[in-house]
Amino acid sequence: MKVLDFPLVKITIAFILGVIAWYYLHFSISLISYTLSIFSILFCFSYFWSFKNPKKFLLFGISAYFLSFALGSFTLLSHTENLQKDNYTHCKTAFEKPQSIVLLLREKLKSNDYSDRYIAHLNSISDKNYKGKIIINVQKDSSKNNLIIGNTIKIQTTLQHNKSSKNPNQFDYGTYLANKQIYAQIYCQKKDILVRTIVQKDIWYYCAKLHSRIISNLEKSNFSKSEMNVALALILGQQQEISQDIIQDYQYSGATHILSVSGLHVGFIMLFITFILKPIPNTKRGSFIKLSSILISLAGFAIISGLSPSVLRSVVMFSFLAIGNHLRQNGNIYHTLLVSILLILLFEPYFLFDVGFQLSYIALFFILWLQPIFKNIYKPKNRIINYVWEALTVSFAAQIGTLPLCLYYFHQFPGLFFVTNIIILPVLSFIMIAGIIVMIIAIFTNPPLFITAIFEKSIYLLNLMIHAVASMESFVIRDISFNSYYLFTFYLFIISSIIWLKKPSYTKIVFVFCTIISVQFSFILTKMKRESEKELIVYNEKKNTLISERTGSEILLYTRDTVIEKNSRNRNLNSYLVGNSIKLKNIKEIKNLLYFKNTKILIIDSSGICPPNLKPDILILTQTPKINLDRLLENHLPKIIIADGSNSNSTQKSWKKSCFKKNIPFHSTPEKGYYKL
């Protein structure tokens, strides 16, 4: 039975397409409601008609797929919280002036240098019922932070909208939070917070309590702080306290997935439990005991790890695989995988746009699909060599499957990923076993010192090996330009090549060559699009002014500091260069007058020099010049005023009022982001 012949596969694909369609096209609520009603009626009609006319079964299938498509759009719509009337985004006054806000702390996030951060559920604003998730940033000071998960707190403050990316081709943190249904943040000090005495003791409270107990008992066992932070990340998925240097080592070595508890960890636990239960006979009763033990173990691990979304989706995924294995449906393992995707997206459709979700399922799919081909190339008889070969084939299969997606999102490739996986898997296997034992003991009491010491040294060894690989920075290929055209065509090529490798034929090899041509077309199309574009960008830079003029694949940079090495390392500029596959041609010192596409641009800096009777189309203000903007607007009448990040906030507010009086558009890069002409 082919994968696509399974009806639920087509239904799942239609559902996913419906989710994607609403996410990007934003159909109206009425349109989705009418469409869902029409396809529901058509589905019911075709269902009963197919009983009387079996030959008309095709209509039933088509109506089922269209209904699934409509359900996908409706599911995403119903899970978009800012469309609900009682969501806090509809309380405009909360974003304009301080309000009394009551919140429930739900999750502790990774702290930064300035604040402790939490995800909270909003309960009310000025005694009016509103709801929604929000991030709270509590400023750090010398006093102890006594906030715990489950606390209900009251703050007199103003809500702040999430900040989107301020420069081109950068990670959009605002969109990332919006996909998690978080639309605003609160910034406050500890003295501003009123904590209620009653604590809401739900499952998140007990998970947090469990974590605190484990950490407390590990600290009493003299567990090294740096190693303990890695242990908490490896076993419990808690990355809040792990240092940035260690995270960077794991990124450069291609082992970032180890620090994020997901499919690798859950899959290992499933294999470990299966190995322990191997003596139980494969009778009907024995298989049921095995399945129950696996499901209970996976659910227990999800609770211990804090019910994070990445763990929950991995637990659901492997639970379905365990159930499919129990039902002796090994031949349809892809169907089981798709059923788990459908179930997860029914409850959390925004997971589809989560990078971790995409990478987890694609990696597992390619391991199941591609790894057997690699494995059959060479079958060593020696156990050690066989282990190394299997580790290599699994690693290569997962890497090939996720490579286009990783290049698209992260624009870098760790060349020594296969070395990392070979050397760390034995150590990681031991760490996972020892870690689970230590964590379980730590729930009840202090772990014995000898077990803690062994566990600590194994993590130290792991960090040492990761650092050794990461230190070879020449093998880390960075700044790889990879757009959506490349993403889709490369996946077409990879998938068609695997289909041909599994069962070669003339038709399939022709299809492979067609995908190669499509990859070439993607390069040609990207180049044509790049060469035809001409744009000028004013970047949002603090204490600096950065303006780029792009013609095709080359840009001319205007800035105060003309040292090319320094500017080529500028993060804001580099994101633009990599995102558009262009290179820095030259750097010039900023002039007071620029011309771009017959547009006259006047730049006024701290000197305040302004030539009379110039009449510019665009006026750019930098370095907080001391000028009378009202008089300047009357004399020059520009079409738009642009103020970059080098100006003070108070001055920009004054300029904004002046522009409002004259009905002239005012673009502040710290507020609205970069300006593109």
Side-chain angles (χ1 to χ4, degrees):
M1 184 180 187
K2 294 181 180 179
V3 174
L4 291 177
D5 290 339
F6 190 52
L8 203 56
V9 172
K10 297 175 183 177
I11 289 171
T12 303
I13 292 171
F15 183 89
I16 291 171
L17 290 174
V19 171
I20 294 171
W22 191 90
Y23 184 82
Y24 288 105
L25 301 177
H26 297 291
F27 303 126
S28 65
I29 297 173
S30 56
L31 177 62
I32 293 177
S33 301
Y34 290 141
T35 306
L36 188 62
S37 302
I38 291 167
F39 286 131
S40 297
I41 294 168
L42 181 63
F43 174 78
C44 294
F45 172 76
S46 60
Y47 175 74
F48 290 110
W49 195 28
S50 64
F51 279 116
K52 298 179 181 179
N53 302 278
K55 293 182 180 179
K56 304 293 183 181
F57 188 76
L58 179 64
L59 178 63
F60 171 69
I62 293 171
S63 64
Y65 303 142
F66 275 107
L67 177 61
S68 181
F69 179 90
L71 277 171
S73 294
F74 180 77
T75 303
L76 192 71
L77 171 68
S78 62
H79 281 81
T80 306
E81 293 182 7
N82 65 345
L83 297 177
Q84 299 172 12
K85 292 181 179 179
D86 59 351
N87 189 265
Y88 62 80
T89 52
H90 299 290
C91 183
K92 303 300 180 185
T93 54
F95 292 91
E96 296 168 357
K97 56 184 180 180
Q99 303 286 322
S100 177
I101 301 172
V102 178
L103 312 108
L104 172 67
L105 298 185
R106 181 50 58 84
E107 183 183 345
K108 178 81 166 65
L109 297 176
K110 185 177 177 65
S111 301
N112 56 34
D113 294 336
Y114 311 103
S115 306
D116 292 316
R117 304 171 69 241
Y118 301 86
I119 291 179
H121 283 216
L122 194 142
N123 292 336
S124 67
I125 300 175
S126 297
D127 298 324
K128 293 181 181 178
N129 290 330
Y130 285 98
K131 65 180 184 180
K133 290 191 289 187
I134 195 166
I135 289 179
I136 303 176
N137 300 272
V138 182
Q139 186 177 332
K140 289 181 177 179
D141 57 29
S142 57
S143 62
K144 185 180 178 182
N145 186 354
N146 294 316
L147 294 175
I148 61 170
I149 302 305
N151 275 148
T152 299
I153 62 174
K154 189 175 183 180
I155 310 172
Q156 189 79 16
T157 187
T158 306
L159 302 185
Q160 305 289 330
H161 287 289
N162 292 326
K163 296 177 181 178
S164 57
S165 57
K166 301 298 183 184
N167 287 293
N169 302 102
Q170 284 189 341
F171 173 68
D172 195 336
Y173 188 57
T175 302
Y176 169 80
L177 290 179
N179 286 342
K180 295 181 178 293
Q181 309 309 302
I182 299 171
Y183 305 103
Q185 298 192 43
I186 289 173
Y187 297 86
C188 63
Q189 296 178 348
K190 292 174 187 175
K191 61 183 178 63
D192 301 327
I193 300 172
L194 178 64
V195 183
R196 292 185 178 176
T197 53
I198 300 172
V199 178
Q200 183 168 321
K201 296 182 179 181
D202 51 18
I203 191 167
W204 284 274
Y205 165 79
Y206 287 109
C207 285
K209 201 80 174 172
L210 195 66
H211 283 173
S212 299
R213 186 176 177 83
I214 289 171
I215 293 169
S216 176
N217 285 332
L218 287 176
E219 287 175 344
K220 290 175 184 176
S221 298
N222 298 321
F223 208 110
S224 170
K225 189 68 177 177
S226 59
E227 272 74 40
M228 185 174 72
N229 291 336
V230 175
L232 293 173
L234 290 171
I235 311 299
L236 303 181
Q238 303 298 305
Q239 298 185 35
Q240 287 89 338
E241 303 300 328
I242 197 166
S243 71
Q244 190 58 42
D245 291 337
I246 292 177
I247 290 175
Q248 183 174 291
D249 280 348
Y250 278 78
Q251 287 174 342
Y252 287 175
S253 63
T256 314
H257 56 285
I258 295 172
L259 292 179
S260 303
V261 174
S262 56
L264 175 68
H265 303 73
V266 178
F268 178 82
I269 289 169
M270 181 176 164
L271 290 173
F272 181 60
I273 300 298
T274 304
F275 175 76
I276 292 173
L277 300 174
K278 205 169 185 180
I280 299 175
N282 288 323
T283 59
K284 190 175 182 180
R285 185 179 177 183
S287 296
F288 179 76
I289 292 170
K290 287 181 178 181
L291 176 65
S292 302
S293 302
I294 290 170
L295 296 180
I296 291 169
S297 300
L298 294 182
F301 178 73
I303 292 170
I304 292 173
S305 61
L307 299 172
S308 66
S310 61
V311 176
L312 282 175
R313 62 176 176 248
S314 298
V315 165
V316 171
M317 178 172 68
F318 280 97
S319 295
F320 268 88
L321 291 177
I323 293 168
N325 185 52
H326 172 71
L327 297 174
R328 303 291 192 270
Q329 293 182 349
N330 296 331
N332 295 330
I333 194 163
Y334 306 111
H335 306 157
T336 307
L337 212 59
L338 282 165
V339 169
S340 71
I341 291 174
L342 181 60
L343 182 67
I344 290 171
L345 294 181
L346 277 168
F347 289 96
E348 287 290 348
Y350 274 95
F351 273 173
L352 184 63
F353 308 101
D354 185 271
V355 180
F357 178 86
Q358 296 169 12
L359 291 174
S360 292
Y361 270 100
I362 288 174
L364 184 58
F365 176 78
F366 273 88
I367 287 170
L368 294 171
W369 193 35
L370 183 57
Q371 194 262 347
I373 298 175
F374 290 155
K375 190 177 177 181
N376 290 331
I377 294 173
Y378 173 57
K379 295 181 179 179
K381 295 180 180 179
N382 186 283
R383 283 189 177 184
I384 297 174
I385 298 174
N386 186 57
Y387 162 78
V388 173
W389 177 243
E390 284 200 3
L392 270 174
T393 55
V394 169
S395 179
F396 270 111
Q399 198 69 47
I400 288 171
T402 57
L403 179 61
L405 208 60
C406 288
L407 294 179
Y408 178 71
Y409 284 121
F410 309 118
H411 301 289
Q412 69 177 28
F413 175 70
L416 295 177
F417 72 91
F418 57 94
V419 175
T420 304
N421 285 315
I422 289 172
I423 64 173
I424 68 168
L425 278 177
V427 181
L428 184 63
S429 303
F430 176 79
I431 288 173
M432 288 297 295
I433 297 169
I436 292 168
I437 294 169
V438 169
M439 297 298 170
I440 291 172
I441 295 172
I443 293 172
F444 305 101
T445 184
N446 302 345
L449 289 176
F450 76 94
I451 295 179
T452 306
I454 294 170
F455 185 41
E456 183 183 335
K457 293 301 179 186
S458 61
I459 293 175
Y460 174 77
L461 178 62
L462 176 67
N463 288 342
L464 208 62
M465 292 190 294
I466 292 291
H467 180 71
V469 177
S471 60
M472 304 177 189
E473 292 190 26
S474 57
F475 288 93
V476 182
I477 307 169
R478 299 185 188 89
D479 301 335
I480 303 171
S481 298
F482 205 84
N483 58 29
S484 55
Y485 301 140
Y486 300 161
L487 179 68
F488 291 118
T489 54
F490 267 85
Y491 266 122
L492 278 175
F493 169 67
I494 291 169
I495 291 168
S496 63
S497 299
I498 296 170
I499 292 171
W500 173 72
L501 282 171
K502 278 187 169 288
K503 196 174 181 180
S505 69
Y506 176 76
T507 308
K508 291 175 184 177
I509 193 65
V510 169
F511 184 59
V512 171
F513 282 119
C514 288
T515 59
I516 293 172
I517 294 170
S518 73
V519 171
Q520 293 173 329
F521 267 119
S522 71
F523 281 100
I524 294 169
L525 185 64
T526 300
K527 187 175 181 180
M528 288 174 60
K529 185 181 177 182
R530 183 175 64 237
E531 294 297 333
S532 64
E533 288 178 341
K534 190 175 182 180
E535 60 190 18
L536 181 137
I537 291 178
V538 180
Y539 296 82
N540 179 51
E541 281 270 310
K542 287 185 178 180
K543 300 179 181 179
N544 190 20
T545 299
L546 205 63
I547 301 171
S548 69
E549 182 182 338
R550 173 185 165 194
T551 305
S553 59
E554 295 179 338
I555 71 166
L556 176 62
L557 188 68
Y558 295 99
T559 183
R560 301 189 179 283
D561 190 346
T562 56
V563 179
I564 193 164
E565 290 82 5
K566 185 177 179 180
N567 284 285
S568 62
R569 292 195 300 269
N570 184 289
R571 187 178 65 176
N572 297 329
L573 177 63
N574 193 55
S575 298
Y576 179 64
L577 296 175
V578 173
N580 293 279
S581 188
I582 54 180
K583 59 183 178 180
L584 185 61
K585 180 185 178 183
N586 198 5
I587 298 177
K588 290 185 177 180
E589 193 172 352
I590 291 179
K591 301 176 181 178
N592 289 105
L593 191 63
L594 295 176
Y595 287 91
F596 180 79
K597 285 187 174 180
N598 299 319
T599 301
K600 191 187 295 182
I601 303 168
L602 175 63
I603 302 170
I604 301 178
D605 56 19
S606 57
S607 64
I609 297 172
C610 179
N613 304 319
L614 193 61
K615 305 293 182 184
D617 298 298
I618 297 174
L619 177 61
I620 300 176
L621 303 174
T622 71
Q623 308 295 321
T624 316
K626 294 179 180 180
I627 55 172
N628 187 325
L629 188 61
D630 293 306
R631 188 188 305 161
L632 201 67
L633 295 178
E634 287 179 4
N635 294 336
H636 292 279
L637 295 173
K639 295 177 182 177
I640 186 172
I641 304 293
I642 302 167
D644 68 7
S646 64
N647 299 288
S648 68
N649 292 330
S650 58
T651 307
Q652 290 200 45
K653 288 178 182 178
S654 174
W655 290 341
K656 189 175 182 180
K657 290 177 182 177
S658 298
C659 290
F660 182 76
K661 291 176 186 176
K662 299 290 183 181
N663 199 25
I664 295 175
F666 179 77
H667 186 101
S668 169
T669 61
E671 182 184 346
K672 298 180 180 179
Y674 66 97
Y675 178 82
K676 181 166 73 171
L677 178 65

